């Protein structure tokens, strides 16, 4: 998930896992269905019917696909060499079909097989606010294009879309905030000020902020499918992308052959209580793995108690330190309070072998390792100008905060971590100051149906990691209750978005698209826990 602390919430494991020093703390309306493609489409290209997908211009209803240059990415993406690219043009707000249009970048990476299957895989990125096109390497390195084309489209508002809703001023605030007390009222005021500045800047560009949400995005993807002339395709969704996928499955089920959900975020449960529960599960999974490993258990006994005490002590008396980060000799001031430690821990499961020693060092007056990790992601050049904060708020402020009271959010913190101070419990991990931010963002609530559980018989793979502290593993069985053909798989010892870190998860996922009823899970039996770093 991503929101104001994009580097922290970004589901989106790519920066979380890059290096330990760069560790970042990184989540409707009816009447939008288009008529069947055969009833409303025309082909505007002389390209023949046997041509590869993405090579023909085509208009379907209010949507138009045109071949063209590949979408821009922050850095060159080797996986996009040889991709077939173009743009999808759709209404910004389908309630106003004669109003403004937006353009979404599309890249189609061909299958390695000379005889690809007719049903491509579509990659749904995390966030909200990450650009799928920039994640092509993750998908292709995992083998998703073995015998199917893989389709990447920049979700509305993201980096390579026109318009984009990036707001780098928020990223710049996140970088400055490492030197502030994390959950102090003064930090909240600056936090909301940055949010409002972002909103004002986007509104001044004439952007309809109410149109950047799951419902419109799901319609964008189904429009792309029909504009490409594809009868059915498959989804691979990570993190927030699973939130979008579950809405897509509910609103546009006919175009879906199968769906893989990785790091599951159910719209029907979205909110602060969910992130607290997820944190508890991921932390407990990691702590148990240490307790089960004799060397770790001996050197770091009772890690949960150590962690709880650190949260309480730091919240009462924050620690200030100075660190230098890779690539720079400029000292950086870092303040660690209880809320900062909880949010560090939420992403630190991506570098699990270091967590016990890092907590032990902090408990013995050496905060530098955690301070470097806490600050590293936010001060990295890669943390600025890449996440569509406008889309993040569009989702959270329409689909989450209107349907979870402040008291319910607080109860979630109390239930998960009863020993934490109230000031920590009041700010859910990954969602700090969400309610006042959403008041400043000021978009209408989504229709209550956004909170409906997704039901149906689309073959679905529900993948989770045993160390996932961002979207807890119990979300797999939860979504499977109403999906009659769902397979639930938890990959032990893995953090958020298992496809990015686990060869076993990649094998399971690729086998699922071959045989959705019987994915191959035999590799799970050979997995072993990480070897925790043991200090002197």
């Amino acid at each position: 998930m991503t929101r104001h602390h994009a580097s922290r919430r970004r589901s989106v494991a790519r920066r979380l896992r890059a290096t330990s020093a760069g560790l970042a703390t990184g989540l409707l309306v009816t009447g939008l269905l288009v008529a069947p493609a055969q009833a409303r489409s025309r082909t505007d290209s002389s390209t023949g019917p046997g041509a590869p997908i993405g090579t023909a211009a085509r208009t379907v209803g209010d949507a138009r696909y045109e071949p063209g240059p590949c979408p821009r990415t922050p850095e060159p993406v080797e996986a996009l060499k040889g991709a077939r690219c173009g743009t999808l043009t759709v209404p910004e707000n389908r309630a106003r079909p004669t109003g403004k249009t937006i353009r979404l970048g599309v890249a189609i990476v061909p299958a390695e097989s000379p005889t690809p299957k007719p049903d491509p895989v579509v990659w749904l990125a995390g966030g909200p606010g990450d650009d799928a096109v920039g994640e092509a390497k993750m998908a292709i390195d995992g083998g998703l294009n073995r015998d199917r084309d893989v389709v990447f489209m920049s979700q509305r508002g993201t980096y390579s879309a026109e318009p984009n809703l990036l707001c780098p001023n928020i990223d710049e605030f996140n970088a400055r905030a490492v030197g502030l007390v994390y959950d102090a009222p003064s930090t909240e005021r600056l936090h909301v000020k940055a949010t409002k500045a972002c909103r004002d800047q986007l509104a001044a560009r004439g952007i309809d902020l109410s149109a950047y949400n799951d419902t419109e995005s799901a319609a964008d993807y189904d429009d792309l499918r029909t504009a490409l002339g594809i009868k059915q395709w498959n989804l691979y969704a990570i993190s927030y992308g699973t939130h979008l996928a579950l809405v897509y499955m509910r609103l546009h089920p006919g175009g879906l052959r199968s769906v893989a959900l990785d790091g599951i975020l159910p719209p029907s449960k979205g909110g602060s209580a969910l992130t607290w529960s997820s944190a508890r599960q991921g932390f407990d999974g990691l702590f148990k793995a240490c307790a089960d490993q004799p060397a770790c258990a001996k050197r770091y006994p009772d890690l949960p108690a150590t962690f709880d005490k650190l949260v309480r002590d730091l919240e009462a008396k924050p620690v200030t330190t100075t660190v230098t980060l890779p690539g720079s000799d400029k000292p950086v001031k870092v303040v660690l309070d209880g809320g900062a430690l909880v949010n560090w821990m939420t992403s630190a499961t991506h570098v699990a072998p270091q967590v016990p020693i890092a907590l032990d060092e902090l408990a013995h007056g050496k905060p530098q390792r955690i301070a470097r990790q806490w600050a590293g992601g936010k001060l990295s050049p890669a943390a600025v100008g890449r996440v569509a904060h406008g889309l993040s708020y569009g989702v959270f402020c329409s689909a989450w905060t209107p349907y979870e009271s402040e008291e319910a959010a607080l109860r979630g913190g109390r239930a998960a971590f009863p020993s934490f101070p109230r000031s920590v419990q009041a700010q859910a991990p990954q969602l700090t100051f969400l309610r006042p931010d959403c008041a400043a963002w000021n978009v209408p609530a989504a229709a209550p149906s956004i909170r409906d559980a997704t039901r149906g018989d689309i073959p679905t793979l529900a993948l989770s990691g045993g160390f996932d502290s961002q979207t807890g593993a119990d979300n797999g069985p939860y979504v499977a209750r109403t999906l009659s053909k769902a397979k639930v798989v938890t990959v032990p010892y893995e953090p958020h978005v298992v496809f990015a870190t686990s060869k076993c998860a990649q094998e399971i996922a690729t086998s699922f698209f071959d045989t959705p009823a019987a994915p191959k899970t035999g590799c799970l039996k050979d997995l072993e826990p990480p070897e925790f770093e043991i200090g002197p």
Side-chain angles (χ1 to χ4, degrees):
M1 295 181 295
T2 94
R3 207 181 52 76
H4 204 284
H5 333 290
S7 56
R8 181 169 357 108
R9 283 178 331 247
R10 200 164 289 133
S11 28
V12 215
R14 59 183 188 276
R15 276 200 291 155
L16 300 180
R17 294 181 319 273
T19 66
S20 62
L23 182 66
T25 331
L27 64 173
L28 287 148
V29 287
T30 57
L32 300 180
L33 296 170
V34 296
Q38 63 269 27
R40 304 181 60 202
S41 67
R42 69 177 186 275
T43 299
D44 305 308
S45 171
S46 58
T47 307
I53 61 171
T55 56
R58 185 180 175 92
T59 297
V60 180
D62 297 319
R64 178 172 177 80
Y65 175 80
E66 294 186 66
C70 286
R72 70 186 186 115
T73 56
E75 296 91 22
V77 178
E78 184 74 21
L80 295 178
K81 287 187 176 180
R84 303 185 295 271
C85 297
T87 56
L88 180 74
T89 302
V90 294
E92 182 180 45
N93 188 331
R94 287 175 173 81
R96 305 184 188 100
T98 59
K100 289 175 56 178
T101 59
I102 61 176
R103 288 161 54 89
L104 310 177
V106 178
I108 303 165
V109 176
E112 290 182 344
S113 169
T115 55
K117 303 288 177 62
D119 49 297
V121 175
V122 182
W123 181 270
L124 298 186
D130 289 336
D131 193 328
V133 180
E135 296 181 352
K137 175 177 169 56
M138 188 194 308
I140 301 310
D141 284 356
L144 285 186
N145 71 324
R146 185 184 60 196
D147 51 14
R148 286 178 170 82
D149 293 350
V150 181
V151 179
F152 303 90
M153 183 170 75
S154 50
Q155 190 183 347
R156 54 173 53 212
T158 58
Y159 184 89
S160 59
E162 298 177 14
N164 66 57
L165 280 62
L166 300 182
C167 288
N169 76 293
I170 288 180
D171 305 316
E172 291 160 358
F173 170 78
N174 289 336
R176 295 193 303 274
V178 301
L180 304 175
V181 175
Y182 181 80
D183 52 18
S186 55
T187 305
E188 177 180 346
R189 288 191 293 271
L190 293 171
H191 197 289
V192 176
K193 181 180 178 181
T195 299
K196 188 174 186 307
C198 171
R199 188 196 194 285
D200 291 347
Q201 181 255 325
L202 296 177
R205 289 164 51 192
I207 294 170
D208 180 356
L209 297 177
S210 69
Y212 291 81
N213 55 52
D214 289 324
T215 304
E216 293 284 3
S217 290
D220 294 340
Y221 278 96
D222 205 55
D223 278 351
L224 177 65
R225 180 186 62 80
T226 55
L228 292 176
I230 298 168
K231 181 179 179 182
Q232 282 192 322
W233 60 15
N234 310 275
L235 303 183
Y236 197 95
I238 64 169
S239 191
Y240 157 72
T242 67
H243 192 283
L244 174 57
L246 287 160
V247 173
Y248 188 170
M249 292 166 72
R250 184 167 57 82
L251 296 179
H252 308 278
L256 297 174
R257 172 182 174 264
S258 68
V259 176
L261 307 172
D262 180 351
I264 302 165
L265 189 60
S268 52
K269 288 174 66 177
S272 295
L274 177 69
T275 66
W276 276 120
S277 170
S278 295
R280 177 86 269 177
Q281 293 174 65
F283 298 175
D284 284 351
L286 191 156
F287 293 150
K288 183 179 185 302
C290 174
D292 289 345
Q293 197 170 108
C296 191
K298 181 179 179 181
R299 179 63 184 81
Y300 308 113
D302 204 359
L303 270 180
T306 299
F307 176 67
D308 281 7
K309 184 175 187 302
L310 282 168
V311 171
R312 296 193 304 272
D313 290 351
L314 288 173
E315 191 68 4
K317 187 178 180 180
V319 167
T320 300
T321 189
T322 300
V323 298
T324 56
L325 301 176
S328 173
D329 57 4
K330 182 180 178 181
V332 175
K333 173 188 172 185
V334 180
V335 177
L336 296 176
D337 65 352
L341 185 64
V342 170
N343 279 270
W344 166 81
M345 184 69 182
T346 301
S347 59
T349 50
H350 289 273
V351 288
Q354 294 186 43
V355 168
I357 191 173
L359 292 174
D360 184 71
E361 288 173 352
L362 181 60
H364 289 87
K366 295 188 288 185
Q368 287 76 21
R369 184 193 299 251
I370 288 177
R372 280 193 299 270
Q373 294 180 354
W374 177 236
K378 299 188 185 77
L379 275 75
S380 165
V384 178
R386 300 198 185 193
V387 170
H389 296 278
L391 177 60
S392 300
Y393 285 121
V395 172
F396 289 125
C397 301
S398 68
W400 286 28
T401 55
Y403 297 102
E404 181 182 53
S405 69
E406 188 171 1
E407 179 55 34
L410 182 60
R411 283 199 305 270
R414 289 171 176 160
F417 296 95
S419 68
F420 283 2
R422 190 187 188 285
S423 57
V424 175
Q425 295 169 340
Q427 304 297 340
Q430 312 175 73
L431 300 174
T432 311
F433 309 133
L434 178 61
R435 194 163 296 276
D437 279 337
C438 283
W441 202 251
N442 190 28
V443 291
S449 59
I450 195 65
R451 306 291 291 191
D452 289 350
T454 299
R455 302 176 183 277
D457 60 359
I458 298 170
T460 303
L461 176 64
L463 269 174
S464 300
F467 287 176
D468 189 345
S469 54
Q470 294 169 271
T471 56
D474 69 351
N475 290 332
Y478 172 81
V479 298
R481 297 171 314 140
T482 53
L483 298 170
S484 63
K485 295 182 180 178
K487 306 291 182 183
V488 178
V489 177
T490 298
V491 184
Y493 318 122
E494 291 294 337
H496 187 54
V497 183
V498 294
F499 190 87
T501 56
S502 168
K503 287 292 183 185
C504 180
Q506 294 168 3
E507 292 173 15
I508 293 168
T510 53
S511 72
F512 168 74
F513 290 125
D514 289 341
T515 54
K520 297 177 181 178
T521 59
C523 59
L524 293 170
K525 69 180 185 301
D526 298 322
L527 299 181
E528 296 183 354
E531 185 175 339
F532 291 97
E533 185 177 340
I534 306 298

